[in-house]
Amino acid sequence: MSKVIQAVRGMNDLLPDVVEHWQRAEEISRDVLHAYGYREIRFPAVEKTELFARSIGRDTDIVEKEMYTFEDRNGDSLTLRPEGTAGCARAGIENGLLHNQIQRFWYAGAMFRHERPQKGRYRQFHQIGVEAFGMPGPDIDAELIFLTARLWNALAVDGLSLRINSLGTPESRALYRRELVRYLESRRADLDEDSRRRLDRNPIRILDSKNPAMREVINDVPSMMEHLDDASRKHFEQLCEYLDQADLRYDINPRLVRGLDYYTRTVFEWVTDRPGSQATVCAGGRYDGLVEMLGGKSTPAVGFALGMERLIELLVRKGGGVNDTKPQIYLAILGDLAVTQQGMKLAESLRDQGLRVACNCGGGSLKTQLKRADRSDARYALLLGEEESKRQSITIKNLRQGEDQVLIPQSAVVEHLKQRLA
Ligand code: HAM
């Protein structure tokens, strides 16, 4: 026997029972997104490497060490998308959708990062992302946060809390960076290896260090809030007012920074309090400079992405509802070709009525077929044998409760089942 080929590490199969949770979450998310006027956009899973290097930033972990980059047969350097914002902005620019326009887009799909796999962190994972272009004010930042809050509500997930911060403009951040480096240099002896490495290239990311030994150093860093320019401060204060007005609770976390370089001003994250989960379920912020960086006309923009695996993990753990996709009815057929033909026809007419019907294919004894019916999770088995076929009747058997089986005319089967399945 040949050796079984296994999936790539960190890339998961999603089996039907879990997919039912995904489908419900996707459907509810779509409804919420459409309720706010967002429209779906689809763009390729592979882009030129330069797109991600330029937008996410060459000194970020993602670009430095997590991208799936390869040369195609023409020698072009391509990359599996590690996130959706860059591709969405590229598609918007290329299709002339952004300049002097307002756009609200959403997308869903697989993203790829070569991270160390663990629970909640995978190499292929899925995001639902939202990007709003052309709106410079804090009102749209607030709208996105309201949208996410509505989504948690609709999905009945609890235990998520909101953290916000402002990263200011590139200019105010440069000033802050200088101040931060000065402080960190003075504490160089207390920095871990990773932070020392980051000190020259991307010192603001040091604030995001998860190393407990770095906590004390980070607690004492100069405050980013105090280095904000006036317009960014006003933008942030107004955002807070919108959230206050809506009674939406949030924590201002002045050390909240993000792993992608394109952010300006508002950044936010929804984090779960459940132990054992990767904490950040949803994250995003404003990126007013990105479109121009990618060669488009300057366009303000803000967005977020939620990590589907992390969301579904919360939903499964909570035991929430699912979209039931299992067959309701299993049709067992025992007879010659003519009986099978009649059975297949009957199954089609039941499906015409909106019922989910699995039809026995491949023959088998009554016992075998009933075993398959039981395994299919259907509630009812229909039995069509030679006798039933001749009389245009059908036997109905409840597979889940000890009701007596009944023989009824085929013409009455829809009514009969609909009443019982209602
Ligand atoms: P991000 O913070 O890199 O932002 O990812 C957003 C979310 O995707 C995370 O909060 C997490 O839930 C999920 N996620 C990220 N990496 C993994 C992984 N390896 N395994 C499982 N889930 C993961 C972005 O991607 C930005 N594009 C968000 C954005 C949109 N900002 C503005 N617009």
Side-chain angles (χ1 to χ4, degrees):
M1 242 192 343
S2 329
K3 199 169 162 234
V4 173
I5 299 174
Q6 296 190 323
V8 176
R9 193 162 119 81
M11 304 204 182
N12 299 318
D13 302 312
L14 299 173
L15 304 183
D17 281 348
V18 171
V19 170
E20 289 186 346
H21 284 276
W22 282 68
Q23 288 177 339
R24 174 174 168 273
E26 285 162 359
E27 235 165 65
I28 292 175
S29 306
R30 260 199 305 269
D31 288 347
V32 170
L33 290 161
H34 294 161
Y36 284 79
Y38 287 78
R39 298 184 66 212
E40 185 180 0
I41 183 165
R42 299 185 184 195
F43 42 85
V46 176
E47 299 272 1
K48 293 186 179 145
T49 302
E50 177 63 15
L51 175 72
F52 301 116
R54 226 199 278 176
S55 51
I56 297 169
R58 288 175 210 281
D59 294 332
T60 57
D61 283 353
I62 297 179
V63 172
E64 255 186 12
K65 49 189 190 201
E66 293 172 0
M67 295 206 304
Y68 282 89
T69 296
F70 58 96
E71 264 190 18
D72 76 355
R73 287 174 192 277
N74 302 331
D76 295 328
S77 179
L78 304 182
T79 293
L80 294 185
R81 61 182 178 198
E83 58 105 53
T85 309
C88 186
R90 197 250 337 117
I93 298 166
E94 195 167 335
N95 292 285
L97 300 175
L98 302 190
H99 183 47
N100 278 339
Q101 296 172 71
I102 283 183
Q103 297 289 358
R104 288 177 163 87
F105 295 132
W106 70 269
Y107 51 85
M111 309 290 158
F112 304 86
R113 295 183 195 174
H114 196 274
E115 296 193 77
R116 182 132 35 107
Q118 50 181 280
K119 200 169 178 56
R121 177 175 301 158
Y122 309 104
R123 290 182 173 171
Q124 175 181 295
F125 60 98
H126 298 77
Q127 289 183 339
I128 291 183
V130 170
E131 314 294 351
F133 293 96
M135 293 163 274
D139 44 1
I140 183 69
D141 304 11
E143 176 182 288
L144 289 183
I145 292 175
F146 296 161
L147 187 160
T148 47
R150 182 177 292 274
L151 184 57
W152 313 144
N153 215 0
L155 291 164
V157 269
D158 40 28
L160 289 181
S161 49
L162 175 64
R163 293 180 187 159
I164 59 173
N165 189 22
S166 176
L167 302 180
T169 59
E171 295 74 34
S172 72
R173 202 154 63 234
L175 287 178
Y176 175 68
R177 185 182 152 134
R178 227 172 293 151
E179 193 74 12
L180 179 69
V181 170
R182 199 172 307 144
Y183 163 78
L184 291 170
E185 289 284 7
S186 75
R187 301 289 307 264
R188 190 175 259 280
D190 303 318
L191 301 184
D192 62 10
E193 202 188 310
D194 212 30
S195 303
R196 254 179 247 158
R197 195 175 54 81
R198 282 188 165 138
L199 194 52
D200 298 325
R201 305 187 60 179
N202 204 350
I204 292 178
R205 283 291 289 163
I206 295 176
L207 302 185
D208 203 27
S209 167
K210 302 285 182 291
N211 182 356
M214 286 287 296
R215 205 163 292 153
E216 199 242 310
V217 178
I218 292 170
N219 275 342
D220 291 343
V221 298
S223 157
M224 202 184 300
M225 279 285 161
E226 279 166 24
H227 291 78
L228 282 188
D229 56 290
D230 288 344
S232 295
R233 190 192 313 276
K234 192 156 164 239
H235 186 106
F236 188 67
E237 283 166 3
Q238 285 179 354
L239 170 63
C240 292
E241 273 175 43
Y242 282 116
L243 301 180
D244 292 337
Q245 288 275 318
D247 276 335
L248 224 150
R249 289 186 46 198
Y250 58 91
D251 291 317
I252 298 175
N253 180 346
R255 282 178 280 278
L256 174 62
V257 292
R258 310 267 304 112
L260 307 99
D261 279 354
Y262 49 61
Y263 290 109
T264 51
R265 295 197 170 156
T266 311
V267 287
F268 66 94
E269 283 185 354
W270 285 95
V271 286
T272 165
D273 54 9
R274 301 289 141 80
S277 298
Q278 282 292 315
T280 310
V281 175
C282 170
R286 181 162 278 284
Y287 50 96
D288 291 338
L290 179 65
V291 172
E292 203 173 3
M293 242 151 58
L294 295 178
K297 295 258 164 52
S298 170
T299 306
V302 55
F304 69 82
L306 71 86
M308 285 300 285
E309 280 78 1
R310 295 183 190 179
L311 176 68
I312 300 295
E313 154 84 14
L314 295 180
L315 293 174
V316 170
R317 209 184 300 177
K318 187 162 180 288
V322 294
N323 272 9
D324 194 357
T325 57
K326 291 171 187 146
Q328 298 158 295
I329 296 148
Y330 192 95
L331 176 59
I333 304 174
L334 289 129
D336 59 12
L337 182 63
V339 178
T340 307
Q341 284 171 348
Q342 193 183 96
M344 301 280 269
K345 226 171 169 178
L346 178 68
E348 288 298 336
S349 68
L350 296 177
R351 292 176 190 127
D352 287 344
Q353 298 300 317
L355 294 167
R356 299 192 300 274
V357 185
C359 194
N360 188 79
C361 291
S365 67
L366 178 63
K367 196 169 154 212
T368 306
Q369 295 198 32
L370 283 176
K371 225 187 251 168
R372 288 180 194 150
D374 189 47
R375 225 176 285 147
S376 78
D377 270 338
R379 257 173 73 194
Y380 287 93
L382 300 182
L383 313 178
L384 182 70
E386 301 278 0
E387 206 46 39
E388 282 99 345
S389 168
K390 224 178 287 160
R391 294 201 211 152
Q392 296 281 312
S393 61
I394 190 102
T395 300
I396 302 187
K397 182 178 165 62
N398 187 330
L399 294 165
R400 309 293 151 204
Q401 280 162 10
E403 273 171 27
D404 286 339
Q405 61 184 47
V406 289
L407 182 74
I408 61 168
Q410 286 181 17
S411 57
V413 70
V414 169
E415 213 34 51
H416 187 95
L417 286 170
K418 279 202 161 166
Q419 267 175 22
R420 275 158 187 76
L421 289 166

